[in-house]
Amino acid sequence: MIAVLLGAPGSGKGTQAMRLSSRLGLAHVATGDMLRRAVADGTELGRKAKAIMESGGLVSDDVVLGLIRERTSEKDCASGFLLDGFPRTVGQAEGLDRMLSDRRLAVDVAVNLEVNEDRVVERMLKRAQIEGRADDSPETIRQRIRVYREKTAPLAAWYAGRGLLSNIDGEGSIEAVGERIEESLRDRGVWAPVEAR
Ligand code: AMP
């Protein structure tokens, strides 16, 4: 199973990704986490990514696709993975498709978390206080939302055109949203929790 989780920054993607990946026994692959680790480790990639991330922009498609290619070749991804924060552009989605089809694989579902924009800003400001993320400042939040609207939001239509999109109401409690995702994956016939195997 290969699943993609789409949604604005602050839509609850990371939280739902953690839940879902453990329920389904999938590796949780989050490009934002991988990039933040590279920055913390001071690798060459981290040095290049740091300023881009702090300004709320996107790291280049080539760089991110390279990260994904390596990460999804690791052993824990062999029985499936959940992509969180990737793809973020149509170019990345196309690159992902090519990479997977070379491996005789394909995306099974794209879950799109829909959350009101004011709520997104609210959640990110709250997260800034809790986690102290450098890119959760008010100006950067605005920029990240602009970038999301322009570059990432079109992916919903892209996946819908391929018959892979599940739109999920992302408002409400973590459990309520999680249950909606589960129901939608059941409807699609791609719900295979670990305990059922
Ligand atoms: P996230 O934790 O997913 O919100 O990502 C934090 C930041 O990392 C983003 O604002 C981007 O600067 C960068 N980033 C994460 N994933 C990607 C991606 N797929 N493509 C480009 N940049 C990314």
Side-chain angles (χ1 to χ4, degrees), residues 94-157:
E94 288 170 347
L96 173 66
D97 259 15
R98 273 194 300 275
M99 183 193 94
L100 293 176
S101 78
D102 286 348
R103 300 180 190 170
R104 307 247 179 280
L105 296 170
V107 169
D108 295 289
V109 63
V111 172
N112 185 33
L113 288 184
E114 298 181 300
V115 178
N116 171 287
E117 214 168 88
D118 293 338
R119 180 92 71 254
V120 158
V121 174
E122 213 175 88
R123 281 188 186 173
M124 290 168 89
L125 288 170
K126 199 160 129 201
R127 181 170 71 188
Q129 289 174 344
I130 299 168
E131 295 177 16
R133 262 177 64 165
D135 59 352
D136 275 346
S137 71
E139 309 83 78
T140 314
I141 288 174
R142 270 192 288 278
Q143 177 60 14
R144 289 168 70 200
I145 289 173
R146 265 199 295 273
V147 168
Y148 168 77
R149 265 200 229 121
E150 189 184 321
K151 312 265 190 203
T152 310
L155 284 177

Side-chain angles (χ1 to χ4, degrees), residues 31-32 35-36 53 57-59 64 85-86 88 92 133 144:
T31 43
L35 289 166
R36 272 186 292 279
M53 292 172 74
L58 292 181
V59 175
V64 179
F86 172 93
R88 254 184 165 88
Q92 291 178 16
R133 262 177 64 165
R144 289 168 70 200

Side-chain angles (χ1 to χ4, degrees), residues 29-64:
V29 176
T31 43
D33 290 346
M34 293 162 73
L35 289 166
R36 272 186 292 279
R37 205 167 311 128
V39 171
D41 292 348
T43 64
E44 194 190 335
L45 165 68
R47 281 197 297 277
K48 282 192 212 150
K50 190 169 188 281
I52 299 172
M53 292 172 74
E54 281 174 2
S55 73
L58 292 181
V59 175
S60 81
D61 287 355
D62 284 353
V63 166
V64 179

Side-chain angles (χ1 to χ4, degrees), residues 1-7 12-14 16-18 20-21 24 26-34 64-65 67-73 77 80-88 92-97 99-100 103 105-113 152 155 158-159:
M1 159 105 155
I2 298 172
V4 166
L5 205 47
L6 300 171
K13 264 194 327 281
Q16 293 299 333
M18 271 190 273
L20 198 57
S21 56
L24 299 181
L26 304 172
H28 175 197
V29 176
T31 43
D33 290 346
M34 293 162 73
V64 179
L65 277 161
L67 276 179
I68 288 288
R69 182 181 300 278
E70 271 181 39
R71 176 66 186 88
T72 59
S73 306
C77 287
F81 47 89
L82 175 65
L83 296 168
D84 164 11
F86 172 93
R88 254 184 165 88
Q92 291 178 16
E94 288 170 347
L96 173 66
D97 259 15
M99 183 193 94
L100 293 176
R103 300 180 190 170
L105 296 170
V107 169
D108 295 289
V109 63
V111 172
N112 185 33
L113 288 184
T152 310
L155 284 177
W158 196 86
Y159 280 109

